[in-house]
Coordinates of all heavy atoms in Angstrom, one line a residue:
F255 N -165.7 27.3 34.5 CA -165.8 25.9 35.0 C -164.4 25.4 35.4 O -164.1 24.9 36.5 CB -166.5 25.0 34.0 CG -166.2 23.5 34.3 CD1 -166.7 22.8 35.3 CD2 -165.3 22.8 33.5 CE1 -166.5 21.5 35.6 CE2 -165.0 21.5 33.7 CZ -165.6 20.8 34.7
L256 N -163.5 25.5 34.4 CA -162.1 25.0 34.6 C -161.5 25.7 35.8 O -160.9 25.1 36.7 CB -161.2 25.1 33.4 CG -161.5 24.2 32.3 CD1 -160.8 24.6 31.0 CD2 -161.1 22.8 32.7
D257 N -161.6 27.0 35.8 CA -160.9 27.8 36.9 C -161.5 27.5 38.2 O -160.7 27.3 39.2 CB -161.2 29.3 36.6 CG -160.3 30.2 37.3 OD1 -159.1 30.3 37.0 OD2 -160.8 30.9 38.3
S258 N -162.8 27.4 38.4 CA -163.3 27.1 39.7 C -163.0 25.6 40.1 O -162.9 25.3 41.3 CB -164.8 27.3 39.7 OG -165.5 26.4 38.8
S259 N -162.7 24.7 39.2 CA -162.3 23.4 39.5 C -160.9 23.3 39.9 O -160.5 22.3 40.5 CB -162.6 22.5 38.3 OG -163.9 22.5 37.9
L260 N -160.1 24.3 39.5 CA -158.6 24.2 39.6 C -158.0 25.0 40.7 O -157.0 24.7 41.3 CB -157.9 24.5 38.3 CG -158.2 23.5 37.2 CD1 -157.8 24.1 35.8 CD2 -157.4 22.2 37.4
F261 N -158.6 26.2 41.0 CA -157.9 27.2 41.9 C -158.8 27.6 43.1 O -160.0 27.7 43.0 CB -157.5 28.4 41.0 CG -156.6 28.1 39.9 CD1 -157.1 28.1 38.6 CD2 -155.3 27.7 40.1 CE1 -156.3 27.8 37.5 CE2 -154.5 27.4 39.0 CZ -155.0 27.5 37.7
K262 N -158.1 27.8 44.2 CA -158.8 28.3 45.4 C -159.4 29.7 45.1 O -160.5 30.0 45.5 CB -157.8 28.5 46.5 CG -157.3 27.2 47.2 CD -156.4 27.6 48.4 CE -155.9 26.3 49.0 NZ -155.0 26.6 50.1
E263 N -158.6 30.6 44.5 CA -159.1 31.9 44.1 C -159.4 31.9 42.6 O -158.4 31.9 41.8 CB -158.0 33.0 44.4 CG -157.8 33.2 45.9 CD -156.7 34.2 46.2 OE1 -156.4 35.0 45.3 OE2 -156.2 34.2 47.3
H264 N -160.6 31.8 42.3 CA -160.9 31.7 40.9 C -161.6 32.9 40.3 O -162.2 33.7 41.1 CB -161.8 30.4 40.6 CG -163.0 30.3 41.4 ND1 -162.9 29.6 42.6 CD2 -164.2 30.7 41.3 CE1 -164.1 29.6 43.2 NE2 -164.9 30.3 42.4
W265 N -161.5 33.1 39.0 CA -162.1 34.2 38.4 C -163.5 33.9 38.0 O -163.9 32.8 37.8 CB -161.3 34.5 37.1 CG -159.9 35.1 37.3 CD1 -159.3 35.3 38.5 CD2 -159.0 35.4 36.3 NE1 -158.0 35.8 38.3 CE2 -157.8 35.9 36.9 CE3 -159.0 35.4 34.9 CZ2 -156.7 36.4 36.2 CZ3 -157.9 35.9 34.2 CH2 -156.8 36.3 34.9
T266 N -164.3 35.0 37.9 CA -165.7 34.8 37.4 C -165.7 34.9 35.9 O -164.7 35.2 35.2 CB -166.5 36.0 38.0 OG1 -166.0 37.2 37.4 CG2 -166.4 36.1 39.5
K267 N -166.9 34.6 35.4 CA -167.1 34.6 34.0 C -166.8 36.1 33.5 O -166.2 36.2 32.4 CB -168.6 34.3 33.7 CG -168.9 34.0 32.3 CD -170.4 33.5 32.2 CE -170.8 33.2 30.8 NZ -172.1 32.7 30.7
Q268 N -167.2 37.1 34.3 CA -166.9 38.5 33.9 C -165.4 38.7 33.8 O -164.9 39.5 33.0 CB -167.6 39.4 34.8 CG -167.5 40.9 34.4 CD -168.1 41.2 33.1 OE1 -169.3 40.7 32.8 NE2 -167.4 41.8 32.2
N269 N -164.7 38.2 34.8 CA -163.2 38.3 34.8 C -162.6 37.8 33.5 O -161.7 38.5 32.9 CB -162.5 37.6 35.9 CG -162.8 38.1 37.3 OD1 -163.1 37.4 38.2 ND2 -162.8 39.5 37.5
Y270 N -163.1 36.7 33.0 CA -162.6 36.2 31.7 C -163.0 37.0 30.5 O -162.3 37.2 29.6 CB -163.0 34.7 31.5 CG -162.0 33.8 32.3 CD1 -162.4 33.2 33.5 CD2 -160.7 33.6 31.9 CE1 -161.5 32.5 34.2 CE2 -159.8 32.9 32.6 CZ -160.2 32.3 33.8 OH -159.3 31.6 34.5
K271 N -164.2 37.5 30.6 CA -164.7 38.4 29.5 C -163.8 39.6 29.4 O -163.3 40.1 28.4 CB -166.1 38.8 29.7 CG -167.2 37.8 29.3 CD -168.6 38.4 29.4 CE -169.6 37.4 29.1 NZ -171.0 37.9 29.3
D272 N -163.5 40.2 30.6 CA -162.6 41.4 30.7 C -161.2 41.0 30.2 O -160.6 41.8 29.4 CB -162.6 41.9 32.1 CG -163.9 42.5 32.6 OD1 -164.8 42.8 31.7 OD2 -164.0 42.7 33.8
E273 N -160.7 39.9 30.6 CA -159.4 39.4 30.1 C -159.3 39.4 28.6 O -158.4 39.9 28.0 CB -159.1 38.1 30.8 CG -157.7 37.5 30.4 CD -156.6 38.1 31.1 OE1 -156.7 39.1 31.8 OE2 -155.5 37.5 31.0
L274 N -160.3 38.8 28.0 CA -160.3 38.6 26.6 C -160.7 39.9 25.8 O -160.1 40.1 24.7 CB -161.2 37.5 26.2 CG -160.7 36.1 26.6 CD1 -161.8 35.0 26.4 CD2 -159.4 35.7 25.9
L275 N -161.6 40.7 26.3 CA -162.0 41.9 25.6 C -161.2 43.1 25.9 O -161.1 44.0 25.0 CB -163.5 42.1 25.9 CG -164.5 41.0 25.4 CD1 -165.9 41.3 25.9 CD2 -164.4 40.8 23.9
L276 N -160.7 43.3 27.1 CA -160.1 44.5 27.5 C -158.5 44.4 27.5 O -157.9 45.4 27.5 CB -160.6 44.9 28.9 CG -162.1 45.1 29.0 CD1 -162.5 45.5 30.4 CD2 -162.6 46.2 28.0
N277 N -158.0 43.2 27.6 CA -156.6 43.0 27.6 C -156.1 42.6 26.2 O -156.2 41.4 25.8 CB -156.1 42.0 28.6 CG -154.6 41.9 28.7 OD1 -153.9 42.4 27.9 ND2 -154.2 41.1 29.7
P278 N -155.6 43.5 25.4 CA -155.2 43.1 24.0 C -154.0 42.2 23.9 O -153.8 41.6 22.9 CB -154.8 44.5 23.4 CG -154.5 45.4 24.5 CD -155.3 44.9 25.7
F279 N -153.3 42.0 25.0 CA -152.2 41.1 25.0 C -152.5 39.7 25.5 O -151.7 38.8 25.4 CB -151.1 41.7 26.0 CG -150.7 43.1 25.6 CD1 -151.1 44.1 26.4 CD2 -149.9 43.3 24.5 CE1 -150.7 45.4 26.0 CE2 -149.6 44.6 24.1 CZ -150.0 45.7 24.9
A280 N -153.7 39.5 26.0 CA -154.1 38.2 26.6 C -154.4 37.1 25.5 O -155.0 37.5 24.5 CB -155.3 38.3 27.5
K281 N -153.9 35.9 25.8 CA -154.3 34.8 24.9 C -154.6 33.6 25.8 O -154.0 33.4 26.9 CB -153.1 34.4 24.0 CG -152.7 35.4 23.0 CD -151.6 34.9 22.1 CE -151.2 36.0 21.1 NZ -150.1 35.6 20.3
I282 N -155.6 32.9 25.4 CA -156.0 31.7 26.2 C -156.1 30.5 25.2 O -156.8 30.6 24.2 CB -157.3 31.9 26.9 CG1 -157.2 33.1 27.9 CG2 -157.8 30.7 27.6 CD1 -158.5 33.5 28.6
F283 N -155.5 29.4 25.6 CA -155.7 28.1 24.9 C -156.3 27.1 25.9 O -155.9 27.0 27.0 CB -154.3 27.6 24.4 CG -153.6 28.5 23.5 CD1 -152.3 28.9 23.7 CD2 -154.2 28.9 22.3 CE1 -151.6 29.7 22.8 CE2 -153.6 29.8 21.4 CZ -152.3 30.1 21.7
I284 N -157.3 26.4 25.3 CA -158.0 25.4 26.1 C -157.6 24.0 25.5 O -157.6 23.9 24.3 CB -159.5 25.6 26.1 CG1 -159.9 27.0 26.7 CG2 -160.2 24.5 26.9 CD1 -161.3 27.4 26.5
Y285 N -157.3 23.0 26.3 CA -157.0 21.7 25.9 C -158.2 20.8 26.1 O -158.8 20.8 27.2 CB -155.8 21.2 26.7 CG -155.2 19.9 26.1 CD1 -154.2 20.0 25.2 CD2 -155.7 18.7 26.4 CE1 -153.6 18.9 24.6 CE2 -155.2 17.5 25.8 CZ -154.1 17.6 24.9 OH -153.6 16.5 24.3
Y286 N -158.6 20.1 25.0 CA -159.8 19.2 25.1 C -159.4 17.8 24.9 O -158.4 17.4 24.2 CB -160.7 19.5 23.9 CG -161.4 20.9 24.1 CD1 -160.8 22.0 23.6 CD2 -162.7 21.0 24.7 CE1 -161.4 23.3 23.8 CE2 -163.3 22.2 24.8 CZ -162.7 23.3 24.3 OH -163.3 24.6 24.5
V287 N -160.1 16.9 25.6 CA -159.9 15.4 25.5 C -161.4 15.0 25.2 O -162.3 15.1 26.0 CB -159.3 14.7 26.7 CG1 -159.4 13.2 26.5 CG2 -157.9 15.2 27.0
D288 N -161.6 14.3 24.0 CA -162.9 13.9 23.6 C -163.9 15.0 23.8 O -165.0 14.7 24.4 CB -163.3 12.6 24.4 CG -162.3 11.5 24.2 OD1 -161.8 11.4 23.0 OD2 -162.1 10.7 25.1
D289 N -163.7 16.1 23.3 CA -164.6 17.3 23.3 C -164.8 17.8 24.7 O -165.7 18.7 24.9 CB -165.9 17.0 22.6 CG -165.7 16.7 21.2 OD1 -164.9 17.4 20.5 OD2 -166.5 15.9 20.6
K290 N -164.1 17.3 25.7 CA -164.3 17.8 27.1 C -163.1 18.7 27.4 O -161.9 18.3 27.3 CB -164.3 16.6 28.1 CG -164.4 17.1 29.5 CD -164.3 15.9 30.5 CE -164.3 16.4 31.9 NZ -164.2 15.3 32.9
P291 N -163.3 20.0 27.9 CA -162.2 20.8 28.3 C -161.6 20.3 29.6 O -162.3 20.1 30.6 CB -162.9 22.2 28.5 CG -164.3 21.9 28.9 CD -164.6 20.6 28.1
V292 N -160.3 20.1 29.5 CA -159.6 19.5 30.7 C -158.4 20.4 31.2 O -157.9 20.1 32.3 CB -159.1 18.1 30.4 CG1 -160.3 17.2 30.1 CG2 -158.0 18.0 29.3
G293 N -158.1 21.4 30.5 CA -157.0 22.2 30.9 C -156.9 23.5 30.1 O -157.5 23.6 29.0
Y294 N -156.2 24.5 30.6 CA -156.0 25.7 29.8 C -154.8 26.5 30.3 O -154.2 26.2 31.4 CB -157.3 26.6 29.9 CG -157.5 27.3 31.2 CD1 -157.3 28.7 31.3 CD2 -157.8 26.7 32.4 CE1 -157.5 29.4 32.5 CE2 -158.0 27.3 33.6 CZ -157.8 28.7 33.6 OH -158.0 29.4 34.8
I295 N -154.4 27.4 29.5 CA -153.4 28.4 29.8 C -153.8 29.8 29.4 O -154.4 29.9 28.3 CB -152.0 28.0 29.2 CG1 -150.9 28.9 29.7 CG2 -152.1 28.0 27.6 CD1 -149.5 28.4 29.3
D296 N -153.6 30.7 30.3 CA -154.0 32.1 30.0 C -152.6 32.9 30.2 O -152.0 32.8 31.3 CB -155.0 32.6 31.1 CG -155.3 34.1 31.0 OD1 -154.8 34.8 30.2 OD2 -156.2 34.5 31.8
F297 N -152.2 33.6 29.2 CA -150.9 34.3 29.2 C -151.0 35.6 28.4 O -151.9 35.8 27.7 CB -149.8 33.4 28.7 CG -149.9 33.1 27.3 CD1 -149.1 33.8 26.4 CD2 -150.7 32.1 26.8 CE1 -149.1 33.5 25.0 CE2 -150.8 31.8 25.4 CZ -150.0 32.5 24.5
M298 N -149.9 36.3 28.6 CA -149.8 37.5 27.8 C -148.3 37.8 27.5 O -147.5 37.3 28.2 CB -150.4 38.7 28.4 CG -149.8 39.2 29.7 SD -150.7 40.6 30.3 CE -150.9 40.1 32.0

């Protein structure tokens, strides 16, 4: 949801599953405001 709202070229749900399950170096933090996800960072 965040990715498709933010970027022209966005990743699919599967891309994120692969990122988290197959890339042992990947970390993702999501920022919430009032329980609503409003931002994130994906890094390694």
Side-chain angles (χ1 to χ4, degrees):
F255 160 74
L256 285 170
D257 195 73
S258 63
S259 301
L260 292 166
F261 301 107
K262 284 183 185 179
E263 293 179 15
H264 50 272
W265 289 1
T266 64
K267 193 174 179 179
Q268 186 62 48
N269 292 134
Y270 279 104
K271 280 185 182 178
D272 292 346
E273 178 80 346
L274 291 169
L275 297 175
L276 303 178
N277 182 350
F279 304 106
K281 293 183 183 181
I282 298 175
F283 297 126
I284 301 172
Y285 193 93
Y286 291 86
V287 173
D288 299 326
D289 295 326
K290 177 184 177 180
V292 300
Y294 77 107
I295 187 167
D296 175 0
F297 69 99
M298 65 181 132

